[in-house]
Amino acid sequence: MTDPYDAERPREPLGLAELQHRLAEFAAARNWQPYHTPKNLAAALSVEASELLEIFQWSTPEESARVMDDPDTAHRVRDEVADVLAYLLQFCEVLGVDPLTALAAKIDRNERRFPAGEPFGHSP
Amino acid sequence: MTDPYDAERPREPLGLAELQHRLAEFAAARNWQPYHTPKNLAAALSVEASELLEIFQWSTPEESARVMDDPDTAHRVRDEVADVLAYLLQFCEVLGVDPLTALAAKIDRNERRFPAGEPFGHSP
Amino acid sequence: MTDPYDAERPREPLGLAELQHRLAEFAAARNWQPYHTPKNLAAALSVEASELLEIFQWSTPEESARVMDDPDTAHRVRDEVADVLAYLLQFCEVLGVDPLTALAAKIDRNERRFPAGEPFGHSP
Amino acid sequence: MTDPYDAERPREPLGLAELQHRLAEFAAARNWQPYHTPKNLAAALSVEASELLEIFQWSTPEESARVMDDPDTAHRVRDEVADVLAYLLQFCEVLGVDPLTALAAKIDRNERRFPAGEPFGHSP
């Protein structure tokens, strides 16, 4: 059986915490931890986010909405999304930050900061 | 029962899919969807990743490892992590990309590409 | 006479090399050189380029072309352009790279790589 | 005589304005102007700045200072510097921004903002 997401893990085959753990084990098995300072991981995250942006840099808004129509570009998009998420999770791991708790707190703050129904401000 | 965020899972009250749903409702309630093209969201993601990097830009590797010791900086780190994750999830939402599946597939590919136990290459 | 910005140089008051020299003196007078590693300056350059992009992140292509119509935004654009150029020049200074020679060489290579008159490829 | 790049200045064959002009002609000859909105050029500038940062992302500060010792990496550094400068100049061209004037004004402001001799603040 080659599929790692098999019947042993029926209820949450792709949990965030689990992927974070796999990434930590992956880095440890290759002795990459010395490279994984918060600074380096933040730089790597920023580099990967730019690689995702690169796919869209010359697109019109309309073209950007059709980017998944081309299988090769769709693969590239998914690949860069994975890289961004991987470095974000590794960054959070080394600093002990819980990304889901951080995001929930931020949404709560934003709901107070940008009340629904008010005219558009500066921050979509 | 189809809702994955029910009482069966008391230990993960802040699931990724749930936060993604809250972000989509948040944007819809403010009529921000026209701004949320994939291109714009990729740009915003890249901008937020740079804001996270900015915290570390003049730090030594050692200083970067102690960044959570200062409560103000720790708050800033969590806030930027939240922004990065928020735009990543919104980007994935508008393009129908599942970030967890994308990351799991990428880890699988990387395990074949960088076998454990081999000398360090170019990609920690 | 020590002020380089006097009447001796009426025809090119703002040369690139001269600005690079002013930046180096500015950093030296504040003992900032230890922070100015190539890595840190590359990070700072990337952060400033993102701050320039931030101005445009929610704009349509048409809006982005009118960005200088608003005096405050025009000032912000000029300020971010200055920051990008400042870090690029300081990066080049610490590594001994001549940015004008590098660009001239690149244009020469691109003229061979993208012959004029051929259909549009991937790299405008 | 209006051409600033004439025989009077034999020692600066690679002036910034001249390179900016070559870039504009290069883009025009390939009909790339429709792609060269300020927004797209700001995105491309940010992407190239990240490619420069990528060279250093796993380096220690000390390693980053020796990056030009390896001829291949030195070439890569010069190539990315050229790309950053190229997009910065093209961005300035389409918006009518003079990057040297902008930088000179910024240095003037910073000399007032960070007086020499004062303790180190947050902005090297």
Side-chain angles (χ1 to χ4, degrees), chain D residues 11-80:
Chain D
R11 283 171 302 187
E12 195 190 355
L14 300 164
L16 201 65
E18 187 180 7
L19 289 168
Q20 194 170 26
H21 185 67
R22 278 186 72 188
L23 288 166
E25 288 196 325
F26 185 91
R30 283 151 191 82
N31 296 315
W32 286 356
Q33 301 109 319
Y35 299 91
H36 283 192
T37 65
K39 177 173 179 151
N40 288 359
L41 290 167
L45 171 62
S46 161
V47 166
E48 295 301 334
S50 278
E51 291 184 5
L52 184 62
L53 175 59
E54 189 181 13
I55 299 172
F56 300 93
Q57 66 185 344
W58 307 117
S59 304
T60 63
E62 297 73 27
E63 286 165 353
S64 91
R66 295 191 303 266
V67 76
M68 304 304 279
D69 291 356
D70 176 65
D72 286 348
T73 313
H75 176 82
R76 202 174 150 206
V77 166
R78 283 191 206 97
D79 200 52
E80 298 300 349

Side-chain angles (χ1 to χ4, degrees), chain C residues 11 30 79 109 114 123, chain D residues 8 30 32 79 109 114:
Chain C
R11 282 174 303 189
R30 284 149 190 83
D79 201 53
R109 284 199 298 279
F114 302 104
S123 298
Chain D
E8 289 183 66
R30 283 151 191 82
W32 286 356
D79 200 52
R109 284 198 299 278
F114 303 104

Side-chain angles (χ1 to χ4, degrees), chain A residues 30 32 79 109 114 123, chain B residues 30 32 59 79 109 114 123:
Chain A
R30 284 149 191 84
W32 286 356
D79 200 52
R109 284 199 298 280
F114 302 104
S123 297
Chain B
R30 284 150 191 83
W32 285 356
S59 306
D79 200 52
R109 284 199 298 279
F114 303 104
S123 297

Side-chain angles (χ1 to χ4, degrees), chain C residues 11 14 22 30 32 38-39 56-57 59 64 79 83 87 100 106-109 111 114 116 120 123-124, chain D residues 8 14 22 30 32 38-39 56-57 59 64 79 83 87 100 104 106 108-109 111 114 120 123-124:
Chain C
R11 282 174 303 189
L14 300 163
R22 278 186 74 189
R30 284 149 190 83
W32 286 355
K39 176 170 180 153
F56 300 93
Q57 67 185 343
S59 306
S64 90
D79 201 53
D83 283 336
Y87 285 121
L100 300 181
K106 177 85 183 205
I107 295 174
D108 289 344
R109 284 199 298 279
E111 280 174 347
F114 302 104
F120 178 67
S123 298
Chain D
E8 289 183 66
L14 300 164
R22 278 186 72 188
R30 283 151 191 82
W32 286 356
K39 177 173 179 151
F56 300 93
Q57 66 185 344
S59 304
S64 91
D79 200 52
D83 283 336
Y87 284 121
L100 300 181
K106 178 86 185 205
D108 289 344
R109 284 198 299 278
E111 280 174 348
F114 303 104
F120 178 67
S123 297

